[in-house]
Structures are given as structure tokens and as C-alpha cells.
Amino acid sequence: MYKPLVTNISNKYGNNRWKSKSLKIDREVFLYSDLEYDNWLTVECNPSIVNFCEQPFLIKIPYNNTIRTSIPDMWILYDNGDEEIVEVKYSNDLTKNKVKEQIEIQQLWATKNCIRHRIVTEREVRENRLLLSNYKSLLSILKNVDIKELVALDGYLDIIKAKERLEISEFSDLLKVDNTVVLKNIAFLLYRGQINANLDTCYFGTKLEVSQINGEIL
């Protein structure tokens, strides 16, 4: 749908710039702060999100008797067809006049185009740092895995369906494979949203518990 307006991070203001590979959209993404990177983790690891684009387009509208512009930090498409634009800001910046104007311009455009607008701060993104750490672990594992080499995923799903809830370490004994192989397959199933796990309370590893989603395997 969209392509990022800025793909050379050296030409964008801001500190702590990031460049990461997205498995979801199969390209490198360009992020312009630590907070934008953390927010991207939540987007990349949300199976309900099917597409996104950072710095997607330029908004240009009349505002206070002149023409103002703004670029949202991200456009997001969900699996139910809903779209939204997102502005990522530290909470202490929301009182700044320039930021308030930028947000209002985006909100006016979103209302006119019947698209949801959302402001994301560190309070939401970093509410659970353990979960963010686990997202990093999942993506770190998957970026070094050829998805085509993942096999016997149905076997994992059958075990979870039969056991309802079990630790990752139990798969090694049941399937007679090494824990490193198990972790790759479980990481992929979690990323795809086919199974559930207590990622918000336990580090991703052999002690993590996996289970069905709402009593069903997706």
C-alpha cells in the first residue's frame, strides 16, 4: 500500500536511529528513536496486524489560515480491515506546542478520511518490559531461521491440543529433538499467533508455558 517516505536514516533528525528487518512485510524498516523501535516490536509481533508502514505519507491540510504538513510515524492495517495512523511520542513531549499542532493536524486528516488516529507513548509501549524483551528474543531467533526449514509444526500443535498447557522443555522429550529446534518452532507458532504463551510473565526459554488460544488451535 505505502512505502516509507524516508529510507535514509542519516537524513532524518533524531537520536538512536534503528534499521531492522521485518518478517511481516519482508523488508527493512527505518525507525527514528528507541521508543519507535520498541513500538515496532509490538506491531511486528502482533498477529492481528497484517501490514504496516513507517513514515507512510505526507499529510497536507489547511490549518490556522495556512497550509501545514505532518508525517505520521506509522500506518497500520489489521486483519479485520481496520486502518489507523499512529504517532509515537514520549509523554513529556505531548505538552509542547509543536507536538500538539502535529497531532491535531493528523487527527483532522484521520477524521476526514475515516481512519483511526492513535497516540502511543512509553507508558503503553513499555508497560511490560519483560514482554518487549521476549519480542526481541522471538525476532532474534526467527531472523536466522529459514521458515521453509521448519517442519513437523502439526506435531507441536497436536501435542498442545492434547496437553492443553505445557512447558517448552517437555517438547524435547516428546518429539526427541533438541531444545534449540523446539524454540525455533515455538517462536514461529507464537509469531504467527497460532498458540498462546505466558510471554508477559516468563522469559522466552524452556520454562515458558504454551497453550491453545481460547481453547482452540489456530
Side-chain angles (χ1 to χ4, degrees):
M1 290 229 182
Y2 300 106
K3 294 182 179 180
L5 294 183
V6 182
T7 57
N8 184 349
I9 57 179
S10 65
N11 291 339
K12 186 74 165 57
Y13 66 87
N15 299 318
N16 304 318
R17 304 177 183 104
W18 291 83
K19 182 169 69 173
S20 298
K21 178 64 183 292
S22 167
L23 300 175
K24 190 183 293 287
I25 58 175
D26 192 29
R27 67 165 174 81
E28 288 186 328
V29 295
F30 305 88
L31 308 154
Y32 305 102
S33 71
D34 291 344
L35 184 58
E36 285 190 31
Y37 172 77
D38 287 349
N39 179 67
W40 167 73
L41 291 173
T42 69
V43 171
E44 180 72 17
C45 293
N46 184 345
S48 296
I49 293 174
V50 296
N51 200 356
F52 70 88
C53 182
E54 74 285 13
Q55 312 285 317
F57 47 75
L58 178 70
I59 292 172
K60 190 174 183 180
I61 64 170
Y63 181 84
N64 286 348
N65 299 317
T66 186
I67 300 297
R68 297 292 190 189
T69 61
S70 180
I71 301 175
D73 287 322
M74 191 170 284
W75 164 84
I76 293 175
L77 175 66
Y78 291 88
D79 56 9
N80 63 359
D82 287 349
E83 296 180 56
E84 70 178 4
I85 55 173
V86 174
E87 185 64 20
V88 182
K89 284 287 184 289
Y90 288 97
S91 54
N92 59 5
D93 287 335
L94 295 179
T95 58
K96 297 178 179 178
N97 289 333
K98 185 176 181 180
V99 172
K100 289 194 291 185
E101 178 181 295
Q102 180 182 17
I103 289 173
E104 188 172 355
I105 289 169
Q106 293 180 15
Q107 289 174 334
L108 289 170
W109 181 90
T111 299
K112 182 179 179 180
N113 289 274
C114 300
I115 293 178
R116 183 171 61 226
H117 180 271
R118 184 161 56 95
I119 301 169
V120 175
T121 72
E122 76 283 358
R123 293 171 180 170
E124 296 87 18
V125 174
R126 295 172 178 167
E127 181 180 11
N128 189 324
R129 291 184 178 270
L130 173 57
L131 185 59
L132 279 180
S133 176
N134 282 330
Y135 286 160
K136 292 176 185 178
S137 296
L138 288 179
L139 297 180
S140 178
I141 290 173
L142 293 176
K143 74 178 181 180
N144 296 314
V145 172
D146 186 348
I147 304 301
K148 297 177 182 178
E149 296 178 358
L150 295 176
V151 295
L153 291 175
D154 287 343
Y156 288 83
L157 297 176
D158 289 341
I159 290 173
I160 296 171
K161 188 174 182 178
K163 295 276 187 175
E164 293 188 358
R165 181 179 298 273
L166 70 164
E167 290 185 359
I168 288 180
S169 59
E170 297 179 60
F171 286 93
S172 294
D173 294 332
L174 292 168
L175 295 172
K176 309 302 180 185
V177 295
D178 189 78
N179 274 328
T180 56
V181 176
V182 173
L183 288 170
K184 291 177 182 179
N185 283 274
I186 293 297
F188 180 70
L189 291 172
L190 286 169
Y191 178 77
R192 289 282 299 272
Q194 291 180 265
I195 59 174
N196 203 359
N198 56 332
L199 289 170
D200 57 337
T201 58
C202 180
Y203 281 106
F204 183 77
T206 57
K207 294 298 182 181
L208 187 77
E209 287 188 342
V210 298
S211 60
Q212 301 181 63
I213 295 177
N214 299 324
E216 297 181 359
I217 293 292
L218 301 182

